[in-house]
């Protein structure tokens, strides 16, 4: 699944960042780039190159890319688009004095492809260029590899966690070592899958159960098919029940179990980038950002600027 590949890429890129330093505050001297031609805009239209903050405000709408089928951030329910990123997009639009027009996009094989398709070049066949893309990891190497975009607007720190059946663990919540003996669910081909597969030299593999999405894994947990699920905290909290608990234990051997999410804007739309960054920062400072997460039943962790 491409969506699965995207989620794995997001987590992997973030976890490989240098811990304890602002992700883009470092230079790109030691970062290796791909094919030079791949990083250059090819045959882009004037509407892409010349669009500015003034153009957006004159038009009255801002185009915002969000991932499809990605609860709790952007998903459809009874034909209505909803989720945390949808509310953040509306917040940004309101701050700029325009309406939000959401472009729901399928994930490419990695985040680089998502940025290419949605922010600076567009898909080769069909599709639209967005003014802003949400849910992009604020990562030094990602920013260095993709010089056609600007990464900023940090709005949330995601972290890995473990959900568990309270009746299976009445005293101590489980840690990864428990899964030598206990069953655990993961979304297929994600960082949780990779981490647990390699933990203790593969001793956990026999007790792992892989599912198409984190929601499917949580359904299996609720149904008693597994005793625990490892995934990003937000995805676990989205499907919590009274019988299920969640915690964020240490993950031995994992360089970084949390990462920062932000936005991507095309490199030559700097005024728009700054305006979006300001809108997000104001929302964090006055509590509106935390309320969006709380309204969706999620724990909000403020990014460290």
């Amino acid at each position: 699944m491409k969506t699965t590949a995207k989620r794995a890429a997001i987590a992997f890129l973030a976890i490989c960042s240098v811990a304890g330093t602002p992700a883009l505050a470092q230079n790109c001297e030691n970062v290796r780039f791909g094919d030079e031609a791949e990083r250059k805009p090819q045959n882009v239209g004037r509407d892409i190159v010349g669009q500015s903050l003034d153009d957006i405000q004159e038009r009255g709408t801002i185009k915002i890319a969000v991932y499809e089928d990605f609860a709790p951030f952007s998903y459809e329910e009874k034909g209505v688009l909803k989720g945390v990123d949808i509310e953040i997009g509306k917040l940004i639009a309101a701050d700029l004095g325009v309406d939000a027009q959401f472009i729901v996009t399928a994930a490419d094989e990695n985040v680089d492809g998502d940025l290419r398709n949605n922010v600076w070049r567009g898909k080769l066949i069909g599709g639209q260029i967005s003014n802003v893309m949400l849910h992009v990891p604020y990562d030094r190497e990602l920013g260095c590899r993709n010089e056609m975009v600007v990464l900023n607007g940090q709005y949330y720190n995601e972290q890995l966690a473990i959900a568990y059946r309270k009746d299976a663990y009445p005293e101590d919540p489980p840690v990864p070592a428990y899964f030598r003996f206990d069953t655990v669910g993961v979304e297929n081909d994600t960082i949780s899958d990779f981490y647990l597969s390699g933990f203790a030299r593969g001793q956990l593999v026999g007790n792992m159960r892989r599912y198409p999405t984190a929601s499917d894994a949580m359904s299996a947990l609720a149904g008693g098919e597994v005793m625990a699920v490892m995934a990003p905290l937000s995805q676990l909290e989205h499907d919590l029940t009274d019988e299920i608990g969640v915690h964020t234990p240490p993950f031995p051997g994992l360089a970084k179990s949390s990462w920062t999410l932000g936005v991507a804007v095309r490199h030559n739309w700097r005024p728009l980038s700054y305006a979006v960054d300001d809108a997000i920062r104001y929302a964090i400072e006055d509590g509106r950002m935390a309320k969006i997460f709380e309204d969706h039943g999620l724990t909000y962790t403020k990014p460290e600027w």
Side-chain angles (χ1 to χ4, degrees):
M1 289 180 63
K2 288 186 177 181
T3 301
T4 297
K6 180 270 301 180
R7 291 172 186 167
I10 285 177
F12 183 75
L13 281 167
I15 288 168
C16 289
S17 299
V18 178
T21 56
L24 301 186
Q26 306 168 66
N27 62 42
C28 300
E29 181 180 354
N30 297 319
V31 177
R32 296 182 61 183
F33 297 105
D35 180 14
E36 181 72 16
E38 182 66 17
R39 298 186 291 115
K40 298 299 182 184
Q42 304 293 329
N43 302 318
V44 294
R46 293 181 62 185
D47 62 322
I48 295 175
V49 173
Q51 201 159 40
S52 68
L53 178 58
D54 290 340
D55 295 327
I56 290 167
Q57 291 177 326
E58 181 178 349
R59 184 179 66 213
T61 58
I62 182 170
K63 298 178 181 180
I64 300 175
V66 295
Y67 287 110
E68 68 176 1
D69 190 24
F70 191 32
F73 291 95
S74 47
Y75 60 102
E76 281 195 15
E77 189 173 272
K78 297 181 180 179
V80 178
L81 193 60
K82 60 188 303 184
V84 168
D85 284 346
I86 303 305
E87 297 305 315
I88 293 174
K90 292 177 180 177
L91 181 153
I92 292 169
D95 195 85
L96 299 182
V98 298
D99 295 325
Q101 177 186 342
F102 292 101
I103 300 173
V104 180
T105 181
D108 205 305
E109 294 300 325
N110 53 42
V111 184
D112 304 78
D114 294 336
L115 296 175
R116 180 175 60 249
N117 292 338
N118 296 285
V119 179
W120 65 265
R121 187 192 70 183
K123 297 176 182 177
L124 294 178
I125 300 177
Q128 301 182 63
I129 285 288
S130 63
N131 303 123
V132 177
M133 185 171 189
L134 293 174
H135 216 91
V136 177
Y138 190 80
D139 179 83
R140 179 180 73 94
E141 292 193 13
L142 180 66
C144 290
R145 288 201 310 271
N146 293 273
E147 61 184 16
M148 304 302 295
V149 303
V150 176
L151 305 180
N152 65 358
Q154 305 167 68
Y155 60 86
Y156 173 59
N157 267 6
E158 183 65 276
Q159 55 189 322
L160 289 174
I162 294 176
Y164 58 94
R165 293 188 58 87
K166 293 178 181 178
D167 58 359
Y169 301 97
E171 297 180 0
D172 298 320
V175 297
Y178 284 32
F179 305 133
R180 289 188 177 97
F181 311 101
D182 300 343
T183 53
V184 58
V186 295
E187 180 179 349
N188 190 44
D189 289 338
T190 59
I191 192 63
S192 299
D193 184 359
F194 302 149
Y195 172 71
L196 292 180
S197 296
F199 188 87
R201 298 183 179 181
Q203 294 181 35
L204 281 58
V205 172
N207 287 321
M208 292 174 61
R209 306 290 183 268
R210 295 176 174 85
Y211 299 91
T213 68
S215 289
D216 292 328
M218 288 295 284
S219 295
L221 178 62
E225 296 178 25
V226 292
M227 299 169 67
V229 170
M230 179 176 170
L233 177 62
S234 59
Q235 295 181 47
L236 299 178
E237 289 185 324
H238 180 67
D239 292 305
L240 282 184
T241 66
D242 291 340
E243 292 75 30
I244 297 174
V246 64
H247 75 134
T248 54
F251 293 97
L254 193 57
K256 199 174 183 183
S257 59
S258 65
W259 57 96
T260 301
L261 295 171
V263 307
V265 177
R266 204 173 192 278
H267 77 105
N268 58 338
W269 297 349
R270 296 278 178 165
L272 172 62
S273 176
Y274 300 147
V276 170
D277 191 62
D278 286 343
I280 289 174
R281 186 176 291 266
Y282 296 150
I284 292 173
E285 291 175 348
D286 65 18
R288 285 177 294 154
M289 186 67 69
K291 188 176 187 306
I292 289 174
F293 281 81
E294 291 164 3
D295 287 348
H296 286 81
L298 308 180
T299 301
Y300 179 65
T301 305
K302 178 181 175 181
E304 297 179 2
W305 293 314

